[in-house]
Amino acid sequence: MTFDFRIFSIMLAFVALAIAPAADAQNRLGNTELNVPATLVAEAQQVKAGQSVTLAFVMEPKPTWHGYWENPGDAGIGMSFDWSLPAGVTSGKAQFQVPDRLLISGIMNYIYKGDYAVLVTLSLSNELRPGPLPISVKSEWLSCTDEICVPEQDELSITLQVVGKDAPVLLDKRFDGFRAALPRPLGSEAKFSASDDRFRLSIPLPASVGMDQPYFFILEDGIIDYAAPQKFNRDGDRLILETDARGDGLDTISGILKIGNHDGFLITATKGEVAMTGLPLAGDGAKNEAGASLLFFALGGAILGGLLLNLMPCVFPILSLKAISLAKAGGNEAEVRRDALAYTAGVVLVATALGAVLLGLRASGAAVGWAFQLQDPRIIFVLLALVTAIGLNLAGLFELPNINFGNKLTKKDGAAGSFWTGALAAFVATPCTGPFMAAALGATIILPPIAALVIFAGLGVGLALPFLLIAFVPAIRSRLPKPGPWLDSFRKIMAIPMFLTSIGLIWLLGRQIGTDALGLSLIFLLTVSLILWWFGGGQMKGLSRGALTSAAMVAALSAGIIALPGEEAMNDQKLAQSSNATLPSEAFSESRLSELRAADQPVFAYFTADWCITCKANEAAAIQRSETAEAFKSAKVAVLMGDWTRPDPEISRFLEKHGRAGVPLYLYYAPGEKPVILPQILTVATLTELVAKPV
Amino acid sequence: MRNLPTFAATAIAAIALASPLAAAQKNGAIAQDFKLTDVNGKTIQLSQFRGKTIVLEWHNPGCPFVAKHYSSGNMQATQKAARQQGAVWLTINSGAKGKQGHMTGPEAKALIAEQNIQSTNYLFDTKGVVGKAYGAKTTPHMYIIDGSGTLVYQGGIDDKPTANIADIKNARNHVLAALSEMKSGKKISVAQTRPYGCSVKYAS
């Protein structure tokens, strides 16, 4: 015991030793008594003369407490900074993350509910000599709960080290996260009007940009009534907001258009005429009213869409055979109904589960659409193997339910078999939903999650509806053809749509992973077919090869999954495709850029985002043009494209380094020379003249 | 005939009171009439002070921003100066029962004595009807109504939106500035400012 205790205390001492320098390195005078304590951290402890460093006030509100955005809204106060900086250091404007709103008894507060960070960039002059650089700042902010407010302040300090030009600099990875929650500047300018007590704002934003409960946080006070509901209209590539005005004393305003959790755009707007055109988005005021009718409309659409799915080539064979097997059950009413209900349960459950996964992914920030499971080539491959196997089964290559995956279960008799048939049908059916379901599924984006799930369930109900009818309306069942020898031919014919579906999946897979990987996956598919053939051959001779077959199938499928390219390769493929049109490009990375620079190759780097109208206009007018492509090709210009549609820390840092807070950014690197920043509005001539210059 | 404007004002007030949650009052409009009870349970009506300049002050003793102006004596000094000029000063508490700053009559009386509050009356607006009609958002939130019953100033007490007492001496006291401009017959140069402080703790 004593011995154990001694070891324990030695360990404790080591732990204490390890922690002590870490605490020291943080340089915090942070007061833990505060309700919203602040800590000052630097992105890099080592800084270089002539460069800049970003500091973060990391604010960690205690439970129930919140801090305020720059403009606090109706009440409250923003944050203040009183810097003590050594000579040669200047501080920039504080950058605030996308805020939340809190409406209490008609008083609107613009706040941060959870942890947040306020970023300030310090610029260092060329004159700074290596050595310690003490930074301190006195800051005041207001901390509130829903009930009470406490003004808080703290004096924070940190000591940075000025190091030589070639010294290594270690970046704090947390800053990637801090930056991801900053609003991104929307390159194009918005327009606003304030008259007759109505405030309107027209924001250029491509129609394809999705949003969840948009809200405009205005920076300037006295222009809009903060607590008034905001109504949004979509009119083509413009998003138009209308709310109550407070005044019209300004010619330019700015603010943040929030489009999702921690996701928003920095907007600047000048005064002009704005009309409320286009179609309304569900705003927060009208939401509940519109929500209910929208829900019924969407639910109807979902059931109808589900019904139509029964006719899809990928679903029809499964269903028609199941329907006939129901008819086969003949007289036993109870059994038929039980089967139909089990089938419905399987369909609805899988449709709802897919919907839940979709909503979950959307909430976690991934941009996904319906049929998202078909975006992963590995899932497509498994589906391909499954569909092909079902096709081979229908064609009569093998019999009996001894294969150890999906269709073993679906071929099982009774309720369990029906349930699995339903589950399979729903899973296979989703890729076919697109055109029929677009409207209903679109509604799920603006509906609350529970309502959205109801819609997905409605899709399942629609898919199962014919089945329920057959089971519960004997008149329909009696009209179904009686099973007989013709059923065998029918079954074989039904293999055709199954194989057609396989071809569709092969095409999809090929688009995603390219022909090389596709060839490989087809070899695995052939292996699967051969295994099944061998299995079927065994059946004819009365041999049971079930266990071996199962093992071989699992091996073939796993090999296929492992051999298939992952998501990265897929993105490369996508990128190559998107630029296949005219000017091909590679994905931007700093390492690739320096590689090309080292090889003395001229480089054109451009940064774009799907929500950036200026970017898209430039791409259409100047970049994706054959003249440009030819000129670049003959001058051997490498093209790098950075996509900032989703926040990407590497691109954010790169933009910042070039003095840009957002896209577009166009750079041209002539070999051995400093990069040229091109104008924000490009023409074909601007680009072709670049390379026409004698190098 | 002398009573006609009074009658008109009362009629307007009655209409306005019919929709108590109407939008905030605008400068230049007739200030909405109201009736509230004071610390002694006496009913005080805004229109009874017609002819005099009236200052409205939204108050919550628990709010640090209110405390800034009372513990420094700044608010009391402003109240005293206003009343010396012949103005009426109504301090209004719109804090709902159970919320921060809510007081009973005796509690308020004790506070008035303790802090030497110099306002003409201390009024309770527990249901928040008057506060919402005026669009009072913060404590403090200040309003000035001239002798004709017109709203002429609304906003903060001064231009230093902090909770720091040291900022008072360098701040422009918007209420005193407006009162002195009114006295000398000038137009109020700063008639609307951004109020600062805690949110008014209304009944939801």
Side-chain angles (χ1 to χ4, degrees):
Chain A
M1 277 307 280
T2 1
F3 183 69
D4 280 351
F5 182 73
R6 215 178 299 153
I7 287 188
F8 179 64
S9 46
I10 291 170
M11 275 167 60
L12 249 177
F14 268 107
V15 168
L17 268 177
I19 287 172
D24 189 34
Q26 284 218 327
N27 288 316
R28 66 179 288 189
L29 293 174
N31 184 346
T32 45
E33 299 291 304
L34 297 175
N35 298 300
V36 182
T39 319
L40 187 65
V41 292
E43 184 165 22
Q45 291 285 331
Q46 310 82 12
V47 297
K48 295 177 182 178
Q51 296 192 350
S52 62
V53 61
T54 303
L55 304 185
F57 294 81
V58 181
M59 314 295 288
E60 293 161 306
K62 292 191 175 154
T64 74
W65 288 83
H66 58 252
Y68 282 86
W69 183 53
E70 280 178 278
N71 175 358
D74 280 327
I77 285 183
M79 200 169 171
S80 76
F81 309 92
D82 185 7
W83 293 93
S84 305
L85 301 170
V89 181
T90 48
S91 64
K93 202 179 159 297
Q95 290 177 282
F96 287 80
Q97 295 174 335
V98 179
D100 304 311
R101 62 202 147 109
L102 174 68
L103 187 65
I104 305 174
S105 328
I107 295 179
M108 178 62 84
N109 297 270
Y110 291 158
I111 61 151
Y112 294 103
K113 279 179 202 143
D115 292 0
Y116 62 103
V118 178
L119 304 188
V120 175
T121 299
L122 301 180
S123 307
L124 315 177
S125 87
N126 282 316
E127 318 285 289
L128 287 179
R129 300 262 151 262
L133 195 68
I135 307 288
S136 84
V137 58
K138 202 179 150 226
S139 185
E140 296 178 19
W141 62 92
L142 185 64
S143 308
C144 294
T145 65
D146 289 2
E147 295 293 327
I148 59 167
C149 288
V150 180
E152 303 196 319
Q153 55 172 310
D154 203 352
E155 202 157 340
L156 302 160
S157 62
I158 189 167
T159 302
L160 306 174
Q161 284 292 329
V162 181
V163 296
K165 282 258 174 290
D166 302 319
V169 167
L170 222 83
L171 293 182
D172 186 335
K173 283 272 174 282
R174 281 181 295 171
F175 278 69
D176 289 351
F178 299 158
R179 283 206 182 84
L182 287 178
R184 290 166 293 161
L186 188 79
S188 0
E189 192 161 85
K191 251 191 334 196
F192 79 98
S193 68
S195 56
D196 302 330
D197 288 338
R198 299 303 286 160
F199 170 89
R200 292 201 187 110
L201 177 67
S202 170
I203 302 166
L205 196 67
S208 57
V209 175
M211 51 187 66
D212 181 24
Q213 296 188 29
Y215 187 86
F216 179 61
F217 292 88
I218 189 168
L219 190 61
E220 290 80 11
D221 183 52
I223 302 295
I224 73 171
D225 182 350
Y226 301 118
Q230 299 193 348
K231 277 191 291 186
F232 284 90
N233 271 20
R234 260 289 171 82
D235 184 7
D237 283 346
R238 299 198 83 80
L239 179 73
I240 305 164
L241 151 74
E242 187 179 58
T243 188
D244 292 347
R246 258 294 155 71
D248 58 352
L250 295 173
D251 289 329
T252 59
I253 57 161
S254 56
I256 296 176
L257 172 71
K258 184 174 183 170
I259 60 162
N261 208 8
H262 305 303
D263 196 0
F265 300 115
L266 267 184
I267 309 276
T268 55
T270 52
K271 207 174 235 177
E273 286 289 307
V274 180
M276 199 65 181
T277 53
L279 293 172
L281 282 179
D284 51 11
K287 187 160 188 168
N288 291 337
E289 258 169 78
S293 60
L294 185 66
L295 178 60
F296 282 116
F297 180 76
L299 189 60
I303 291 178
L304 196 67
L307 199 58
L308 283 168
L309 280 181
N310 286 300
L311 301 175
M312 291 290 132
C314 41
V315 183
F316 187 64
I318 305 177
L319 293 186
S320 51
L321 289 173
K322 195 74 199 168
I324 289 164
S325 84
L326 265 189
K328 215 176 350 188
N332 195 339
E333 197 77 1
E335 206 170 290
V336 168
R337 288 184 182 175
R338 189 201 60 197
D339 270 13
L341 287 176
Y343 172 83
T344 309
V347 172
V348 172
L349 211 67
V350 168
T352 315
L354 283 172
V357 172
L358 175 74
L359 290 174
L361 285 176
R362 200 188 286 286
S364 72
V368 290
W370 184 240
F372 61 92
Q373 75 271 32
L374 290 189
Q375 281 164 9
D376 191 320
R378 285 161 291 204
I379 293 184
I380 300 185
F381 175 68
V382 173
L383 206 55
L384 173 61
L386 185 63
V387 168
T388 311
I390 294 173
L392 292 175
N393 173 263
L394 292 173
L397 190 70
F398 65 97
E399 286 296 335
L400 291 176
N402 269 344
I403 304 136
N404 206 4
F405 63 94
N407 62 351
K408 168 188 179 180
L409 297 164
T410 62
K411 287 290 166 64
K412 236 183 195 165
D413 278 339
S418 298
F419 177 84
W420 287 109
T421 310
L424 179 69
F427 189 74
V428 177
T430 46
C432 311
T433 53
F436 300 101
M437 294 297 300
L441 291 173
T444 61
I445 297 166
I446 43 176
L447 287 171
I450 298 291
L453 286 182
V454 170
I455 296 209
F456 287 115
L459 178 68
V461 171
L463 188 56
L465 208 54
F467 244 79
L468 288 172
L469 285 178
I470 291 171
F472 286 85
V473 185
I476 298 180
R477 199 161 66 245
S478 64
R479 301 243 170 141
L480 282 179
K482 290 280 165 277
W486 67 271
L487 191 60
D488 192 49
S489 314
F490 179 71
R491 206 186 94 164
K492 285 185 173 132
I493 292 168
M494 278 300 120
I496 297 171
M498 251 5 202
F499 288 132
L500 282 175
T501 307
S502 300
I503 292 171
L505 289 171
I506 289 168
W507 175 78
L508 197 65
L509 198 58
R511 275 178 63 96
Q512 285 197 334
I513 59 177
T515 41
D516 288 357
L518 180 65
L520 197 64
S521 59
L522 287 179
I523 289 174
F524 286 112
L525 191 62
L526 178 63
T527 315
V528 168
S529 308
L530 290 177
I531 294 167
L532 289 175
W533 196 2
W534 176 76
F535 173 66
Q539 283 175 332
M540 289 193 194
K541 292 176 203 153
L543 299 170
S544 171
R545 294 168 171 173
L548 252 176
T549 304
S550 303
M553 286 294 288
V554 168
L557 274 175
S558 318
I561 290 168
I562 292 164
L564 281 179
E567 218 173 314
E568 254 171 57
M570 235 174 83
N571 285 340
D572 286 353
Q573 177 73 13
K574 232 191 275 172
L575 210 62
Q577 259 171 19
S578 67
S579 39
N580 253 352
T582 335
L583 185 70
S585 64
E586 297 174 57
F588 172 83
S589 74
E590 289 210 57
S591 56
R592 181 69 184 135
L593 177 64
S594 42
E595 219 173 278
L596 291 164
R597 294 276 282 155
D600 264 351
Q601 203 180 343
V603 180
F604 173 66
Y606 72 104
F607 297 85
T608 179
D610 286 352
W611 40 261
C612 166
I613 283 191
T614 322
C615 307
K616 295 294 151 205
N618 279 333
E619 277 151 41
I623 298 175
Q624 296 298 341
R625 297 295 289 265
S626 51
E627 300 97 306
T628 310
E630 272 160 35
F632 277 16
K633 199 176 167 193
S634 60
K636 295 199 168 45
V637 179
V639 180
L640 297 179
M641 194 259 267
D643 187 351
W644 208 42
T645 302
R646 303 290 317 164
D648 177 316
E650 187 180 355
I651 294 176
S652 302
R653 260 200 304 275
F654 189 84
L655 292 172
E656 211 167 278
K657 215 159 52 177
H658 290 79
R660 286 287 170 81
V663 288
L665 171 66
Y666 305 104
L667 292 168
Y668 181 70
Y669 296 81
E673 284 178 47
K674 283 198 168 172
V676 185
I677 297 184
L678 305 179
Q680 299 248 16
I681 305 292
L682 292 181
T683 61
V684 172
T686 326
L687 294 176
T688 50
E689 275 164 21
L690 281 175
V691 296
K693 277 186 214 154
V695 176
Chain B
M1 279 311 275
R2 261 182 64 88
N3 280 339
L4 196 60
T6 320
F7 172 76
T10 323
I12 289 164
I15 293 162
L17 273 173
S19 54
L21 294 179
Q25 304 273 289
K26 278 192 170 160
N27 282 347
I30 296 289
Q32 184 177 315
D33 196 9
F34 58 78
K35 275 185 191 171
L36 291 174
T37 47
D38 71 358
V39 289
N40 297 312
K42 210 176 98 189
T43 300
I44 303 290
Q45 187 163 6
L46 183 72
S47 53
Q48 78 189 55
F49 304 111
R50 180 57 47 86
K52 289 181 174 174
T53 299
I54 305 164
V55 180
L56 305 182
E57 171 210 355
W58 259 264
H59 185 252
N60 164 4
C63 169
F65 295 89
V66 172
K68 166 192 174 185
H69 292 286
Y70 276 96
S71 59
S72 62
N74 181 47
M75 194 62 89
Q76 295 92 324
T78 310
Q79 289 162 349
K80 207 170 162 186
R83 289 185 65 186
Q84 272 168 1
Q85 289 182 27
V88 171
W89 187 296
L90 302 177
T91 300
I92 301 174
N93 186 332
S94 291
K97 232 174 223 165
K99 300 263 176 93
Q100 186 198 46
H102 175 80
M103 288 189 294
T104 61
E107 283 166 356
K109 271 204 248 184
L111 184 81
I112 290 167
E114 184 198 324
Q115 295 193 340
N116 195 22
I117 296 177
Q118 298 286 314
S119 52
T120 315
N121 286 94
Y122 191 101
L123 306 174
F124 295 115
D125 174 36
T126 315
K127 287 184 179 148
V129 175
V130 175
K132 285 182 177 173
Y134 275 78
K137 306 280 190 193
T138 64
T139 51
H141 195 158
M142 312 298 299
Y143 295 83
I144 302 177
I145 299 159
D146 71 8
S148 70
T150 307
L151 188 65
V152 292
Y153 174 80
Q154 54 180 320
I157 173 75
D158 64 26
D159 63 352
K160 290 274 190 260
T162 68
N164 193 344
I165 290 176
D167 286 326
I168 292 174
K169 62 178 188 293
N170 296 320
R172 178 189 195 269
N173 186 319
H174 293 313
V175 173
L176 283 182
L179 288 175
S180 82
E181 281 169 342
M182 285 169 77
K183 204 177 163 195
S184 54
K186 280 191 270 188
K187 196 170 171 279
I188 295 174
S189 52
V190 181
Q192 185 150 7
T193 63
R194 179 175 208 170
Y196 68 90
C198 313
S199 56
V200 178
K201 309 302 178 196
Y202 288 119
S204 31

